[in-house]
Amino acid sequence: MKRVALLGATGSIGRQALDVIEANADLELVAAASGSQPIDGLAPLTQVGGDLTELLERAKPDVVLNAVVGFAGLPATLWSLERGVDLALANKESLVAAGELALAAQERGGGRILPVDSEHSAAFQCLEGRAEAEIDSLVLTASGGPFRGRTRAELASVTPSEALAHPTWSMGPKVTIDSATLMNKGLEVIEAHFLFGLPYERIEVVVHPTSVMHALVRFRDGAALAHVGYPDMRVPISFALTYPERAATGLPALDFASGLILEFSPPDEEAFPALGLARSAGEAAGTAPCVLNAANEVAVTGFLDGALPFLAITEIVERTLSRVAAPAVADLDGLVAIDAEARRVAGALTRELVH
Ligand code: NAD
Ligand code: MG
């Protein structure tokens, strides 16, 4: 039996994780948390809001599935890595914002990161056991989101409900908007850098509208391994929770008779500048990825609330990055201060644009 603590149990990933746990007799849900929705009785230990590491201390899980959205997931990520507890990581924001602190915590505590993000789960499976020197490059696929093919001018007036209509994945609102701006893929490039220790110039993005191929790794001998499967998050969730085994899920296998389409094209970085912005923040290192993430969280909320136009999301992120100093920090308190400063600046920029 593996004892699972599920953080973000009421969200899109959280609910799919409940299905996976329910269907697998070897997984036991020992604790569950949500941000604000009541979850009494969902698990032996539950918590709504507050410091999630208190729940983890009491629950003593074998694996923490961190499916909280945003920077709020960071303490649980660090807790798991520091204590040598397996971390099934959906909460990419924590690794983006705190990659260096997370790797240091992992170094000390030995916690393993088992990626739940579909592209990173795919890459992890293609890469497993390979030395960095054998790897040429990693390719993450992007569906392109609901606005694939549109020009920048055509994006000026898109609405939250249009942006929330993702063509291939059904996800929570924040990551769905990130997919529409391509910031999601930018965050994933940074996530991949920290997960796999590859320099940014060896992490590529390609647009692949049907989301069947999730990632591809090129090796130095000219071979490339790709991971394919229907877009269903229960597959990477199950893989992370049952690793190193691969449990049955009952989900359908790929069917060649139903018209599989594997098409690829380069991302349009002019219409979707968030991707390049994220890559630059990753390359700048220090706390630039933390600033990028914080500004993006504020701007996405502004867009979803109807206060900001779509194109303002990336604009606010860019302007916040240019205004907030982003030195490397040694601890969580230092990072929390940078995150707060970036939110303050992004909030002020949002109010300027609204008035
Ligand atoms: P969601 O909005 O559907 O759910 C978020 C969950 O986090 C909810 O249970 C909410 O109650 C909880 N939460 C929010 N703030 C909290 C706080 N302060 N303390 C405790 N809990 C809090 O989001 P989602 O789509 O499930 O995404 C979760 C994470 O997984 C995100 O980081 C996202 O980028 C990542 N992810 C999601 C998908 C997907 O298919 N949904 C795919 C890949 C990665
Ligand atoms: Mg992803």
Side-chain angles (χ1 to χ4, degrees), residues 60-125:
K60 306 210 177 349
D62 298 316
V63 54
V64 173
L65 172 45
N66 188 351
V68 171
V69 60
F71 190 75
L74 178 56
T77 286
L78 295 178
W79 183 93
S80 310
L81 297 174
E82 197 81 60
R83 279 167 189 67
V85 174
D86 277 356
L87 173 64
L89 185 65
N91 176 250
K92 66 191 90 185
E93 294 92 343
S94 58
L95 196 58
V96 167
E100 283 156 29
L101 295 183
L103 294 187
Q106 182 177 40
E107 184 91 356
R108 289 189 298 269
R112 276 193 302 201
I113 309 180
L114 304 165
V116 170
D117 214 348
S118 54
E119 299 77 1
H120 304 72
S121 175
F124 180 87
Q125 294 174 53

Side-chain angles (χ1 to χ4, degrees), residues 8-16 33-37 49-50 52 66-70 72 90-93 116-118 169-173 175 184 188 233:
T10 54
S12 161
I13 293 287
R15 290 190 310 269
Q16 294 178 84
S34 72
S36 53
Q37 301 94 323
L52 299 179
N66 188 351
V68 171
V69 60
N91 176 250
K92 66 191 90 185
E93 294 92 343
V116 170
D117 214 348
S118 54
W169 296 100
S170 164
M171 312 180 284
V175 59
N184 182 51
E188 291 186 357
M233 290 307 295

Side-chain angles (χ1 to χ4, degrees), residues 263-284:
E263 272 177 355
F264 304 92
S265 59
D268 177 351
E269 300 218 19
E270 194 197 318
F272 303 98
L275 182 56
L277 210 53
R279 187 181 280 281
S280 304
E283 284 166 345

Side-chain angles (χ1 to χ4, degrees), residues 23-60:
N24 186 326
D26 295 326
L27 298 174
E28 180 189 7
L29 184 67
V30 295
S34 72
S36 53
Q37 301 94 323
I39 49 167
D40 286 347
L42 188 63
L45 294 172
T46 57
Q47 184 174 313
V48 177
D51 179 357
L52 299 179
T53 67
E54 286 172 9
L55 178 72
L56 297 176
E57 286 289 346
R58 285 189 287 145
K60 306 210 177 349

